Amino acid sequence: MKYNILIILICMISVGCKTTKEFDNILVKKAIENADLSHESFQRSMDFTRAWLQKTDSVSGLLPSNLNNRIDLWDPANAAADNYPFMVLSAYLLDSELLKGPLLDILNQEKTLTSRIGVLPDVYSFSKKDFNEYPINLGHVIFGASEYIKDGLIPLNELMGASPWQDRMMEMLDELFRHTDDFTGLGKYFKRASSVEEINGEMLQIFSRVYWMTGMEKYLNQAIKIADHYLLEMDFSQTDYLRLRDHGCEIIGGLSELFLTLHYINHSKVDAYRPPLYRLLDRILVYGRNTDGLFYNAINLKTKTPVDDRIADNWGYILNAYYTTWMVDQKVEYIRAVRKPFKALNLNYRNYNWEPGPQRGPLGSHDGYADAIESGINLLNRENDPDLRSWIDSEIKVMFAMQQPDGIVEGWHGDGNFARTALMYGLWKTQGARLSPWKHSLRLGAVASEKESYFVLTSQTDWEGKLIFDAIRHKTILNLPVDYPRINQFPEWFTADSLANYLIMASNPKLSGTYSGAKLLEGIPIKIREGERFIISIQRKTPLIDKRGLTKTNN
């Protein structure tokens, strides 16, 4: 007892840490509430992952694209792009043995069985034990690879960094590079212009992000080639069908990402692209929104009327482009457009049927909720708006209720989007921190105030492991100059800078003190007994001094 009191006194004198009684009870209570929310998010993601792993083909080991009419097929544009990657991310955060075992096995099998044009995959039939389509349809192969990279592997890369999945991403991208001339002729493979725009939009996003990650000019140059066509060679005002909902919106996001990239490297194309990009964005604001500031599914820019006046579930994907463009030029109309829907969402779009269908209930598909909630989470990370926050907390419950007791959601590749958004929500509620090893008995929640971040851990059983904090991933993995909002990005909340120091105040005085950012990234070792509550607060970082006596900072 005397020894513990002495530790507390030394702690208070040397680093100014708080005793348990000095913790902010309001913040502790909020962190505990968030712990329950994050736990449900993570558990549902693991239930989804384990349920779908029971559906793999017994011979190939691959996942079917659909449990109904496409149960015989593995499809790179669906099973690989939308479902499998978020099983991988669930296991990365919550079950390392599953990640390194069955899920890595699927990657290896996919590479072995489905690579058709070099390393580019094609649709594989379980019953044929061969490719589903002959002869090869190059357009379908390009589309499948672009979907797999952008929708699936890019999100993995942004959260995990170097991994076998990053390797798969880069080898497919470099193989696609051998077919860049075919991108100009994609129209002969697809009846809908929006499919071509989707592929080009995806490639713009991929090339822009991988350019920063690698520093290789070839990716930038190819992105410019695509953007030249859309911004300098064609006139969007003469477009009779511009799809704003999922898929078609990719081109809008891709153009904005490249515009920001060119701005930060002082490229001459910025001035050439600005007028046509602004004309496109301005016209969408005038003719593509309802009075709540949400976007129609599709519009005709010739007639300046909606083609499909239902509201797009991926409203935030489009607003990402406005926010990104605003970061370049601070055009006030664009930040106003971003903020406009928040109050209306909270008032008018609870229990909203984002994706209706004849076989769906009154709330529609979970996939509409997944995209709409993801839209909100990514913008909340930049705009901490109470209406938006309240709406997200409300609507995640609706989406969660759509999961079946066995872990399957609707039984198609879109089930992966359920897990994607659940993980995003859970990481918001832990401020990006995670536990290793994770167990069902654990609860971790966090909350941030202006001066410090609180993390509260409880366990229903004895547990020993690490509390691991998030990195500044947009810098450490992607080398981006700024953390602009991106489609399917996993936002950063509390991040540890390896070049900074942090003051930690813990309910266990032995763990209080000053920690380097590198130590937080490695993880703080913790032992906790059944029923125990562990609390820490982390104050804003203090700079480290390098060997030359200069202060190191993180922008």
Side-chain angles (χ1 to χ4, degrees), residues 175-379:
E175 188 73 46
L176 274 176
F177 227 84
R178 299 184 176 94
H179 301 276
T180 52
D181 289 343
D182 295 302
F183 280 70
T184 59
L186 289 174
K188 65 184 177 183
Y189 299 107
F190 301 99
K191 296 179 180 179
R192 297 180 303 176
S194 60
S195 297
V196 178
E197 290 164 4
E198 179 178 11
I199 294 170
N200 282 315
E202 288 175 335
M203 296 311 301
L204 278 169
Q205 295 170 59
I206 293 165
F207 286 140
S208 295
R209 299 182 204 184
V210 174
Y211 162 70
W212 284 110
M213 189 176 80
T214 65
M216 297 180 68
E217 293 287 332
K218 68 175 185 178
Y219 300 118
L220 178 68
N221 293 337
Q222 188 60 33
I224 290 173
K225 184 177 179 181
I226 296 172
D228 277 352
H229 170 72
Y230 284 97
L231 294 178
L232 303 183
E233 297 168 12
M234 67 173 283
D235 184 357
F236 268 108
S237 67
Q238 298 303 306
T239 300
D240 58 10
Y241 184 83
L242 179 62
R243 182 178 168 120
L244 299 179
R245 68 169 287 111
D246 198 11
H247 305 297
C249 68
E250 302 282 1
I251 191 67
I252 302 168
L255 290 170
S256 72
E257 288 199 37
L258 178 61
F259 183 66
L260 179 138
T261 291
L262 296 173
H263 165 76
Y264 273 93
I265 61 174
N266 295 314
H267 198 285
S268 60
K269 285 284 185 179
V270 170
D271 292 333
Y273 287 168
R274 182 178 286 107
L277 177 62
Y278 278 17
R279 281 197 300 271
L280 171 63
L281 296 178
D282 291 347
R283 281 177 169 82
I284 293 172
L285 290 185
V286 174
Y287 307 115
R289 295 187 298 171
N290 69 0
T291 55
D292 291 325
L294 296 172
F295 298 95
Y296 302 122
N297 277 346
I299 55 176
N300 183 331
L301 287 179
K302 277 186 179 180
T303 62
K304 303 175 182 178
T305 57
V307 177
D308 179 350
D309 64 0
R310 282 200 60 85
I311 303 304
D313 56 1
N314 53 281
W315 52 272
Y317 294 10
I318 306 168
L319 289 178
N320 286 346
Y322 286 91
Y323 196 100
T324 297
T325 308
W326 171 77
M327 292 176 74
V328 174
D329 290 332
Q330 287 76 54
K331 185 174 179 179
V332 68
E333 291 86 353
Y334 292 170
I335 195 63
R336 287 174 180 167
V338 170
R339 295 167 179 165
K340 182 175 175 60
F342 298 163
K343 185 175 291 293
L345 282 165
N346 202 27
L347 292 174
N348 304 327
Y349 295 87
R350 294 198 176 203
N351 300 310
Y352 186 74
N353 189 344
W354 294 100
E355 281 193 9
Q359 296 180 337
R360 294 167 175 169
L363 298 178
S365 172
H366 79 275
D367 190 50
Y369 274 82
D371 288 353
I373 294 167
E374 179 201 350
S375 292
I377 291 173
N378 209 8
L379 291 173

Side-chain angles (χ1 to χ4, degrees), residues 31 39 42 71 86 126 144 148 251 273 326 350 382 386 391 403 416 421 496 509:
H39 180 268
F42 295 148
I71 197 168
F86 303 106
F126 303 148
Y148 189 7
I251 191 67
Y273 287 168
W326 171 77
R350 294 198 176 203
R382 277 83 186 177
W391 178 82
Q403 187 174 28
T421 300

Side-chain angles (χ1 to χ4, degrees), residues 469-485:
F469 296 90
D470 199 8
I472 310 170
R473 288 176 280 105
H474 74 276
K475 286 191 172 184
T476 60
I477 295 175
L478 292 184
N479 197 36
L480 294 177
V482 64
D483 189 21
Y484 63 87

Side-chain angles (χ1 to χ4, degrees), residues 63 65 74-87 110 121 143-156 172 198 202 247 413-414 416-417 420 488:
L63 292 162
S65 294
W74 179 93
D75 185 348
N78 296 312
D82 295 322
N83 210 7
Y84 167 69
F86 303 106
M87 299 167 65
E110 172 261 302
F143 176 67
S146 69
E147 286 272 292
Y148 189 7
I149 294 173
K150 207 281 312 181
D151 288 350
L153 297 176
I154 282 282
L156 289 185
M172 282 198 296
E198 179 178 11
E202 288 175 335
H247 305 297
H413 62 270
N417 295 335
R420 177 202 70 209
N488 298 156

Side-chain angles (χ1 to χ4, degrees), residues 416-431:
N417 295 335
F418 175 99
R420 177 202 70 209
T421 300
L423 292 173
M424 287 183 187
Y425 183 80
L427 288 170
W428 168 34
K429 296 302 181 180
T430 69
Q431 290 291 293

Side-chain angles (χ1 to χ4, degrees), residues 102-159:
L103 289 166
L104 183 58
D105 291 342
I106 290 175
L107 179 70
N108 292 330
Q109 282 294 90
E110 172 261 302
K111 291 169 62 175
T112 300
L113 296 176
T114 75
S115 295
R116 191 169 195 186
I117 300 178
V119 298
L120 299 182
D122 202 357
V123 180
Y124 183 84
S125 167
F126 303 148
S127 59
K128 294 177 183 178
K129 297 181 175 56
D130 194 4
F131 296 107
N132 188 56
E133 186 177 19
Y134 281 92
I136 296 174
N137 185 315
L138 179 61
H140 289 173
V141 173
I142 290 174
F143 176 67
S146 69
E147 286 272 292
Y148 189 7
I149 294 173
K150 207 281 312 181
D151 288 350
L153 297 176
I154 282 282
L156 289 185
N157 185 61
E158 292 205 10
L159 196 61

